[in-house]
Amino acid sequence: MTTDTKNGNGRTGARRVGLTAVRGLTLALVGMPGAVLCFSLSLLSLALIPVGFGIVTTPYVLNGVRAFANWRRLLAAEWGGVRIPPAYRPLPKDANPWARTFGMLRDPATWRDLRWLPVDMTAGFVTALLPAVLLLYPLEGFALALGLWRAFPDEYWYGFVPVTGQASAFGAAALGLVLLFFAHFFAPRLLDAHFRLTRAVLGGNQDELAERVRVLTETRRDAVDASAAELRRIERDLHDGAQARLVAVGMDLGTIEALLDKDPAQARVLVAQARASSVEALAELRELVRGIHPPVLAERGLGDAVRALALRLPVATEVSVDLPGRAEAPVESAAYFAVSEVLANAVKHSGADRIWVDLHRADGMLRATVTDNGRGGAVIGAGSGLAGVERRLGTFDGVLAVSSPSGGPTMVTMEIPCA
């Protein structure tokens, strides 16, 4: 049993080192070009502000930088367990390009993003790449020992070992073993250092507490506005729908009472009409209740509620759920309506013929991902349904990230802290 346990721990350790190397290589190969592109476009757009062209381009460029930074925040949380909460100031929905540009430039979080980009393309690149180097470089030493040294007519240096023959090639293999030993211990630490470096630059500074208070004030105001708008919607739907039908039923019943003796045939017609009106009123009340808090959500939980929602969609939708228990009712409700809004956007605007929904909990976060194979081009902005989703999640200190290149696919990821 002891041997089996050691073998199992060894395999687990090897898988961890391999996974760390793959993740680090992905960050290096994708993050480096992304950081260079975002930083170059930002400098160019800011330089063009004095001539007027940058007033138009800067909001789009900075939104791209924010999307890239939010993607890295999600990877830091998912791959490294490092939470980096964003704290961007909201902009007015009807802001003109001038107001949007200088509103974003007055936001301290914008300058944190811009300071982080050169750090990410230098020190961040090195700390992300080193785990893969520690794992892959020893393979070259082993290949030299197996005879690869013969392919080099002159002296070949492997690290600090000059390889000139089979004996020195075995020395290269020994050095590879040492590097592989170090990879087992240091590769995960190096990737952790990468994410901590990201948090140190992307995270808040001494003004973080004040910024946090301001963000909470904004989200509280959004929550109050959303609640007031929802109350007005409920009142309007009750007044124009169920209430009007119930009033009509009452009038029909009064007429029926008067006609029972005089005209029984006409009374029977009105009874049937009143019954139909009552059925329609009941259906409208049920639909109204479903819009406030779906019964299946209260009874069966978020997973079954989203599955029931997917069954009503005109697009083939696959739902994957990995939730070990129930979250708090407000969190479940916020997640349900956020997923519902994203699915509605996908059905209405993406042109997709397939949608995937993934719900799971990790590191104290409820994470929902909606992916479609549509045309792409989804953005978070004024007039977009995703802006409403972002405000809804912001009330719970949640995060919304969108990846939607032109041509698709679109992936919308939502995170809400939950116990």
Side-chain angles (χ1 to χ4, degrees):
M1 183 177 293
T2 303
T3 303
D4 291 342
T5 302
K6 289 180 178 179
N7 291 339
N9 291 336
R11 287 193 295 269
T12 301
R15 282 197 298 268
R16 184 187 178 199
V17 173
L19 184 60
T20 298
V22 171
R23 287 174 172 176
L25 190 62
T26 301
L27 286 170
L29 296 182
V30 178
M32 170 74 162
V36 171
L37 178 63
C38 288
F39 190 66
S40 303
L41 291 177
S42 299
L43 290 181
L44 178 61
S45 186
L46 292 175
L48 292 175
I49 288 179
V51 298
F53 188 72
I55 299 292
V56 179
T57 60
T58 297
Y60 296 100
V61 172
L62 293 182
N63 276 329
V65 172
R66 290 183 176 186
F68 180 69
N70 281 333
W71 174 66
R72 297 298 293 276
R73 287 184 175 98
L74 286 176
L75 291 186
E78 188 167 348
W79 289 357
V82 177
R83 291 280 301 150
I84 312 173
Y88 298 114
R89 294 178 180 176
L91 295 171
K93 294 181 181 180
D94 55 349
N96 56 44
W98 179 278
R100 291 183 65 83
T101 296
F102 289 97
M104 297 178 81
L105 291 179
R106 284 193 293 268
D107 188 348
T110 298
W111 297 103
R112 285 199 295 268
D113 289 351
L114 294 178
R115 285 196 301 269
W116 164 72
L117 290 173
V119 174
D120 187 61
M121 68 179 73
T122 52
F125 174 77
V126 172
T127 53
L129 188 62
L130 276 177
V133 171
L134 285 175
L135 185 63
L136 297 178
Y137 193 50
L139 300 181
E140 183 182 349
F142 302 150
L144 289 170
L146 292 174
L148 181 63
W149 64 273
R150 294 186 176 88
F152 302 101
D154 300 324
E155 184 180 64
Y156 180 80
W157 285 83
Y158 177 75
F160 56 82
V161 177
V163 180
T164 56
Q166 189 62 52
S168 55
F170 283 132
L175 177 58
L177 280 175
V178 173
L179 291 176
L180 202 59
F181 174 79
F182 279 106
H184 179 76
F185 290 99
F186 290 104
R189 290 180 173 86
L190 284 169
L191 192 62
D192 183 63
H194 171 85
F195 290 127
R196 292 185 183 279
L197 175 65
T198 303
R199 181 174 62 184
V201 184
L202 268 187
N205 50 23
Q206 63 270 21
D207 298 326
E208 181 178 1
L209 183 58
E211 184 69 12
R212 177 71 176 142
V213 171
R214 187 199 60 76
V215 170
L216 289 175
T217 302
E218 294 285 346
T219 56
R220 183 184 64 180
R221 186 175 67 242
D222 288 340
V224 171
D225 292 343
S227 298
E230 185 70 8
L231 182 60
R232 288 193 298 270
R233 182 188 69 82
I234 294 171
E235 292 174 344
R236 183 181 64 251
D237 290 348
L238 284 173
H239 182 272
D240 296 342
Q243 178 179 319
R245 294 190 184 280
L246 291 175
V247 169
V249 169
M251 295 176 63
D252 287 342
L253 289 175
T255 305
I256 291 168
E257 187 178 7
L259 291 176
L260 278 175
D261 297 328
K262 298 179 182 178
D263 192 351
Q266 182 63 26
R268 282 194 294 271
V269 172
L270 291 178
V271 166
Q273 182 176 320
R275 184 186 298 113
S277 296
S278 67
V279 170
E280 292 175 357
L282 182 59
E284 290 183 359
L285 286 173
R286 285 174 175 167
E287 189 66 28
L288 184 62
V289 169
R290 188 178 294 112
I292 299 171
H293 193 80
V296 67
L297 179 61
E299 297 168 5
R300 304 284 297 276
L302 179 61
D304 286 339
V306 172
R307 288 190 182 101
L309 180 65
L311 290 175
R312 298 197 299 267
L313 296 179
V315 177
T317 304
E318 180 180 335
V319 180
S320 174
V321 179
D322 183 14
L323 299 176
R326 297 285 299 270
E328 300 90 339
V331 172
E332 282 192 335
S333 180
Y336 173 82
F337 285 108
V339 171
S340 175
E341 181 66 28
V342 173
L343 288 174
N345 280 352
V347 171
K348 190 181 302 181
H349 303 296
S350 71
D353 58 15
R354 193 161 185 82
I355 300 175
W356 296 266
V357 182
D358 177 71
L359 298 171
H360 67 278
R361 192 188 307 183
D363 302 323
M365 304 292 293
L366 174 62
R367 185 174 294 121
T369 303
V370 179
T371 307
D372 68 67
N373 61 353
R375 65 177 66 94
V379 295
I380 305 174
S384 166
L386 293 176
V389 174
E390 187 176 43
R391 288 194 300 272
R392 182 187 292 273
L393 297 179
T395 306
F396 295 85
D397 200 18
V399 180
L400 174 70
V402 179
S403 172
S404 184
S406 180
T410 295
M411 183 170 67
V412 180
T413 303
M414 297 157 279
E415 280 192 347
I416 307 177
C418 71

